C-alpha cells in the first residue's frame, strides 16, 4: 500500500471586467501601481480560513497559483487601464516616470466558517501618493463579504473572487476621483503662478 500525497487544487484571482463609466473622470496623469503589500498570515500561496475568532488556518490540498500580492497587481493594473481615467497605468516593474503611485495592502483575505452563512472576506487598504511632492493625497479602506453557496474551499474561492470584484470596482472609482481632484487642484495652482 503506497501513500501518495493528494494532489493540490490550485486557484487564481479572477474578477469580472469592470465596465468603463461614461461619466468617469479623466486625468492626464500617469499612475504607477506598486505591488500590493500583504498582511501577516496572507503572504503565502496557502488559502487561509478561520473557524473561530483570532485563529487562522490553511487548507492542506487547496492553494493559490501564486501569492496574493502578485495576483492582485496585474488585476489592479488591468482594471485601472480599463477605467480610461489615466493617461497611463504603469506596473511596478516598469521603469517609466509617473505622477501618482497607488500603494495597497491586503489586510484580510480569507474564508470565514465561523459565521452563518459562511462567507469570504476581503479587506484592502489603498493610498494614493503624489510623487513630485511625496505626499499622500487620499487613502481609504475597502471591505467586502460574500456568502458562500457551499461549505468547501472551491465555493469559498468563488465567493472571494466576487468580493474582490466589489473591492476593485470601488478602488477604481476612488482612484479616478481622487486623481481628478488632485489634477484639478494642481492645474488651478499652476494657473495662479
Amino acid at each position: 500500500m503506497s501513500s501518495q500525497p493528494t494532489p493540490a487544487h490550485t486557484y487564481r484571482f479572477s474578477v469580472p471586467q469592470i465596465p468603463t463609466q461614461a461619466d468617469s473622470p479623466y486625468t492626464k496623469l500617469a499612475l504607477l501601481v506598486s505591488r500590493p503589500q500583504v498582511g501577516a498570515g496572507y503572504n503565502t500561496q496557502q488559502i487561509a480560513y478561520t473557524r473561530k475568532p483570532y485563529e487562522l488556518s490553511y487548507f492542506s490540498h487547496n492553494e493559490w497559483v501564486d501569492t496574493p500580492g502578485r495576483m492582485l497587481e496585474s488585476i489592479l493594473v488591468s482594471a485601472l487601464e480599463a477605467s480610461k481615467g489615466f493617461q497611463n497605468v504603469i506596473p511596478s516593474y516598469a521603469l517609466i516616470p509617473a505622477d501618482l503611485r497607488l500603494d495597497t495592502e491586503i489586510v484580510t483575505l480569507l474564508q470565514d466558517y465561523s459565521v452563518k452563512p459562511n462567507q469570504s472576506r476581503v479587506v484592502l487598504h489603498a493610498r494614493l501618493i503624489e510623487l513630485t511632492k511625496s505626499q499622500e493625497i487620499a487613502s481609504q479602506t475597502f471591505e467586502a463579504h460574500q456568502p458562500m453557496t457551499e461549505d468547501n474551499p472551491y465555493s469559498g474561492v468563488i465567493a472571494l473572487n466576487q468580493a474582490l470584484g466589489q473591492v476593485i470596482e470601488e478602488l477604481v472609482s476612488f482612484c479616478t476621483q481622487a486623481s481628478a481632484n488632485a489634477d484639478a487642484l494642481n492645474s488651478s495652482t499652476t494657473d495662479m503662478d
Side-chain angles (χ1 to χ4, degrees), residues 50-186:
T50 186
R51 291 200 185 279
K52 57 187 171 184
Y54 316 114
E55 181 179 81
L56 198 60
S57 301
Y58 303 96
F59 292 109
S60 55
H61 302 293
N62 297 274
E63 61 184 32
W64 299 116
V65 297
D66 204 343
T67 58
R70 286 180 181 273
M71 290 190 296
L72 185 58
E73 181 181 10
S74 62
I75 289 173
L76 289 175
V77 169
S78 296
L80 287 160
E81 282 176 340
S83 76
K84 307 285 188 214
F86 301 92
Q87 182 172 350
N88 200 359
V89 178
I90 306 161
S92 64
Y93 54 82
L95 300 174
I96 300 171
D99 304 296
L100 302 171
R101 184 182 73 228
L102 173 64
D103 294 336
T104 55
E105 180 186 3
I106 299 171
V107 178
T108 303
L109 182 76
L110 62 77
Q111 297 180 22
D112 190 348
Y113 294 90
S114 70
V115 295
K116 294 295 177 199
N118 299 336
Q119 63 183 352
S120 288
R121 293 189 299 146
V122 176
V123 179
L124 185 72
H125 182 71
R127 296 174 60 223
L128 207 52
I129 311 295
E130 185 177 317
L131 294 175
T132 55
K133 297 177 183 175
S134 295
Q135 179 180 342
E136 180 180 297
I137 58 171
S139 70
Q140 189 169 330
T141 299
F142 304 91
E143 184 171 351
H145 307 260
Q146 189 68 34
M148 297 163 52
T149 56
E150 297 178 36
D151 295 340
N152 61 52
Y154 181 62
S155 181
V157 167
I158 292 169
L160 195 134
N161 275 307
Q162 291 169 342
L164 190 58
Q166 286 178 261
V167 164
I168 300 290
E169 189 170 355
E170 292 173 20
L171 175 72
V172 167
S173 178
F174 159 79
C175 287
T176 56
Q177 191 61 56
S179 300
N181 292 346
D183 194 23
L185 185 61
N186 284 343

Side-chain angles (χ1 to χ4, degrees), residues 37-48:
Q37 299 297 305
V38 185
Y42 304 110
N43 195 21
T44 174
Q45 284 183 246
Q46 294 179 293
I47 298 175

